Amino acid sequence: MAASHSDAVLTQWHRLGRWMLRGFDRLVDEEAIANLRALDREHSLVFLISHRSYLDEWAFPSALTELGVRAPFGFAGANLNFFPLGTIARRTGIVHIRRTTSDAPVYKLALRRFMRQLVADRANMIWSIEGGRSRTGKLRPPRLGLLRYVADAVDMQEGSSDVLLVPVSLLYDQLPAHEAELMTAEARGQGKTPEDLSWFVGYLRGLRDRLGRIYIDIGEPIELGTRLHQLRDESAESTAIERVAVEVSHNINTATPITPTAAVCIALLAADRALTLDEVIRTVAPLANYLAARNWPTAGAANLTDRSTVRRALQDLDRSAVLTSFQGDTTVWSIEPSQHLVAAIYRNSAIHALVERAILEVALQALSEQSDSSVIDCALGLRDMLKFEFFFAGRDKFVESLQRELEILPGADGAKLATLDSDTASAALASADLLLAPLVLRPFIEAYAVVASQLVDLGDASEIDESWFIERCLVRSRQWALQRRNLSEESTSTEMFRTAIKLARRRGLFYSPAGDLAQRRHDFDEEVRLVRERIGRLGERVLGAPSDGSVVCQPVDANITYLNKLGRE
């Protein structure tokens, strides 16, 4: 943990970083960082980043020092602490720490004291709030260990300058191809490739391609001491750190823009076939209109329906072999058969902006089917099911967000969620030119369905090895994808299974002294099945290949099922 800042080493480190990032243009929120310069004098700034790539260590810290913010002490995984990288990194302020410390009390004590000293010295710090790289494209659940140590230091030094938590969104148009391949391989259950010098040399060799831009945006900072005091007055102290971490993650998502790459992948994943440039633009147009209605930022202020912008995104994805193109009477693009998970990673980088709308659609579908159903209760139930996947606002603010989403739908006619009837719900869905639930929620619900069915098969058995269980889920998910019970292998992901397992554990579905496991597992399976069927019926409103090539929402003959339509070719 004996890290330091050597000016000579930092100069060479940043030079290496510029060489590694030569395939990217870096767009930094310079105004936000300039505002942090004044706070830098009186606060210990703790930068909590979304961890997308190994390149993060070179992409963001150098931007801070270039814009006049003191160099931070960084905390990274011990997997990168190999010679000579670890030795050099310590002289740039990076500390490589163990992923788990539960069996090392002396190590935990040393780390706690080290961070306490950094806070006392008003040093800046940086680490990933997720604890590791995202392997699905969306923000992962926060890790609390380091944040607890900083909070303890703030509590012990009451009256001193506060720590300011600074959420940071890092987003790449594309990841290096070999890194994306490793992520998808790990998601499919393959072991993690160990990092060493030969791995690092190979990684450097793979950084030759032009991959677009890196977007660095700053979220709303949080004064840790003040916020902890507020939360401890409101609820139990034990939950305060968790709530702060969720707020940080929510602020990261709020600062994360939508990239043209994400928009293109949304269009091609939705179409599930080759599209021309004009078809891609027509497919993206309803999404662009929706984001404009939400005032959601696009990366680099890009116009998502601009021909040159969309063409560049398609060509970049083609060069990196995520897409394949065919030159006939005109050029068409489609997703490479083995690259759906990579395309999903880029799609999921935008999913935080779409999930509330998707949940509302499922709730409206429920009301359109059952007049006695409650949109709010259905939405809150789905929010509870997906609470380990996405970062939601509190219940009241979540309902307020759903009301704003309803007001965007042209067929809602100023309706209120609390008094919505089935006819208005049906009209709102029928009038929508964009339905997101089949694309946004389907992969996650399909993964949850695999876990739920696997639990049902176990009956009342309560001693379950999680590694074995995940392996069985991978096998079943691959089978279902081949049978088209799942629409693709996108949901064949250990990351998704682990989140579903976390929900099942929270609901007591892995162990129960009451002896009713089989029944409660069956009830959970039914709950997931019902949501899945509603998403399927929403999918029936989506014509996969209308005559103009766009993916819009239109009623279709009731006897054409969602699975048959998507498998028609």
Side-chain angles (χ1 to χ4, degrees):
M1 298 177 194
S4 61
H5 291 112
S6 166
D7 290 340
V9 176
L10 275 169
T11 298
Q12 297 304 317
W13 184 261
H14 294 328
R15 182 174 297 172
L16 171 64
R18 286 191 294 273
W19 178 81
M20 293 174 68
L21 297 171
R22 66 194 183 280
F24 295 92
D25 296 321
R26 189 177 62 175
L27 297 185
V28 183
D29 189 349
E30 296 186 2
E31 182 179 351
I33 293 180
N35 292 335
L36 293 173
R37 273 203 303 270
L39 298 170
D40 190 23
R41 303 188 192 102
E42 301 296 332
H43 293 75
S44 175
L45 302 181
V46 176
F47 298 95
L48 300 175
I49 69 170
S50 57
H51 193 7
R52 307 285 183 174
S53 167
Y54 290 113
L55 295 173
D56 295 347
E57 287 191 23
W58 289 271
F60 179 58
S62 62
L64 292 176
T65 55
E66 289 169 8
L67 294 170
V69 177
R70 288 175 298 141
F73 286 88
F75 295 90
N79 54 308
L80 295 178
N81 190 22
F82 54 83
F83 182 83
L85 189 66
T87 304
I88 298 171
R90 277 194 292 276
R91 288 161 176 78
T92 69
I94 294 177
V95 180
H96 290 103
I97 60 174
R98 303 178 189 178
R99 294 293 186 190
T100 57
T101 60
S102 57
D103 60 344
V106 174
Y107 187 90
K108 289 171 63 176
L109 176 62
L111 182 57
R112 184 189 297 267
R113 292 295 298 270
F114 177 65
M115 299 193 74
R116 185 185 305 168
Q117 187 62 49
L118 291 179
V119 171
D121 293 341
R122 290 181 180 172
N124 292 340
M125 290 172 266
I126 180 173
W127 70 82
S128 163
I129 187 68
E130 305 166 273
R133 289 173 303 147
S134 171
R135 289 174 175 81
T136 60
K138 69 180 181 64
L139 203 61
R140 301 171 78 187
R143 300 290 291 270
L144 306 178
L146 294 180
L147 192 57
R148 288 190 193 280
Y149 292 167
V150 173
D152 290 344
V154 170
D155 289 338
M156 292 188 66
Q157 299 178 36
E158 188 174 353
S160 65
S161 177
D162 195 10
V163 168
L164 194 68
L165 304 181
V166 184
V168 181
S169 166
L170 278 83
L171 192 60
Y172 296 73
D173 273 335
Q174 290 190 73
L175 298 172
H178 50 301
E179 189 166 2
E181 289 168 3
L182 287 173
M183 286 183 180
T184 55
E186 292 169 18
R188 290 189 171 108
Q190 295 185 25
K192 189 176 186 297
T193 302
E195 294 90 347
D196 52 23
L197 181 58
S198 62
W199 165 88
F200 187 58
V201 171
Y203 185 82
L204 294 178
R205 287 175 176 167
L207 298 175
R208 291 187 290 253
D209 297 330
R210 173 71 190 173
L211 294 171
R213 293 173 170 177
I214 304 173
Y215 307 94
I216 301 176
D217 294 280
I218 309 298
E220 185 68 26
I222 298 172
E223 286 200 12
L224 181 57
T226 302
R227 189 65 183 128
L228 285 175
H229 181 73
Q230 293 171 345
L231 292 173
R232 286 164 179 166
D233 286 344
E234 295 173 7
S235 60
E237 182 172 339
S238 60
T239 65
I241 293 297
E242 292 181 1
R243 292 180 62 182
V244 168
V246 170
E247 286 182 24
V248 169
S249 299
H250 180 73
N251 289 358
I252 290 175
N253 275 338
T254 301
T256 302
I258 309 301
T259 67
T261 301
V264 164
C265 288
I266 287 172
L268 289 170
L269 284 168
D272 198 30
R273 65 184 181 90
L275 298 178
T276 66
L277 174 62
D278 287 336
E279 290 170 343
V280 172
I281 291 172
R282 284 197 295 268
T283 303
V284 169
L287 174 65
N289 294 335
Y290 167 72
L291 294 173
R294 289 276 311 275
N295 293 317
W296 199 280
T298 55
N303 180 351
L304 297 181
T305 56
D306 176 72
R307 293 182 66 84
S308 61
T309 299
V310 174
R311 182 187 291 110
R312 176 181 174 179
L314 288 167
Q315 291 172 343
D316 286 347
L317 287 164
D318 189 14
R319 275 193 295 271
S320 60
V322 176
L323 303 184
T324 183
S325 60
F326 177 79
Q327 181 69 53
D329 296 332
T330 186
T331 303
V332 295
W333 286 270
S334 61
I335 300 172
E336 275 280 0
S338 63
Q339 296 294 304
H340 276 75
L341 270 182
V342 178
I345 287 175
Y346 299 142
R347 188 272 313 278
N348 288 349
S349 69
I351 206 168
H352 57 279
L354 312 176
V355 65
E356 290 177 347
R357 164 65 178 264
I359 287 175
L360 175 63
E361 291 170 4
V362 176
L364 291 174
Q365 179 65 32
L367 178 58
S368 69
E369 296 170 0
Q370 298 175 280
S371 59
D372 60 342
S373 179
S374 165
V375 169
I376 293 177
D377 288 345
C378 179
L380 288 175
L382 195 49
R383 172 184 178 272
D384 182 70
M385 180 184 292
L386 297 170
K387 63 185 176 184
F388 297 119
E389 291 287 355
F390 305 103
F391 299 101
F392 297 111
R395 291 170 66 93
D396 292 342
K397 290 186 177 180
F398 176 74
V399 172
E400 291 173 7
S401 297
L402 292 183
Q403 180 61 50
R404 289 192 293 271
E405 293 287 350
L406 181 65
E407 292 166 1
I408 295 173
L409 289 172
D413 295 327
K416 301 298 181 183
L417 286 174
T419 57
L420 203 63
D421 58 42
S422 59
D423 291 339
T424 305
S426 297
L429 291 174
S431 66
D433 63 352
L434 175 73
L435 286 180
L436 292 169
L439 184 64
V440 171
L441 298 182
R442 176 189 54 76
F444 300 95
I445 296 300
E446 286 185 349
Y448 281 44
V450 170
V451 170
S453 70
Q454 198 71 51
L455 284 171
V456 168
D457 286 354
L458 293 174
D460 281 316
S462 59
E463 294 188 12
I464 303 172
D465 178 79
E466 186 167 314
S467 297
W468 171 86
F469 186 82
I470 290 176
E471 183 60 37
R472 297 308 307 161
C473 288
L474 286 167
V475 171
R476 177 161 297 183
S477 185
R478 292 189 186 106
Q479 175 187 322
W480 283 11
L482 290 170
Q483 294 175 304
R484 301 291 285 179
R485 292 179 65 181
N486 283 352
L487 298 187
S488 74
E489 286 204 28
E490 187 183 332
S491 54
T492 306
S493 167
T494 58
E495 291 283 309
M496 293 185 186
F497 294 147
R498 287 194 178 99
T499 315
I501 289 169
K502 188 175 182 180
L503 174 68
R505 287 193 184 279
R506 180 63 65 91
R507 294 192 177 187
L509 299 179
F510 268 67
Y511 171 77
S512 173
D516 59 347
L517 271 177
Q519 181 59 48
R520 291 196 295 111
R521 286 169 176 172
H522 175 76
D523 293 344
F524 177 59
D525 184 58
E526 285 295 302
E527 180 185 354
V528 175
R529 182 190 59 78
L530 183 60
V531 173
R532 192 180 183 192
E533 288 180 354
R534 286 169 177 164
I535 292 173
R537 284 189 282 273
L538 285 167
E540 291 177 12
R541 299 172 181 267
V542 180
L543 292 182
S547 59
D548 67 353
S550 59
V551 180
V552 296
C553 304
Q554 301 175 13
V556 294
D557 192 287
N559 63 13
I560 304 177
T561 68
Y562 189 34
L563 290 178
N564 286 339
K565 283 194 300 171
L566 289 179
R568 67 192 178 285
E569 294 178 353

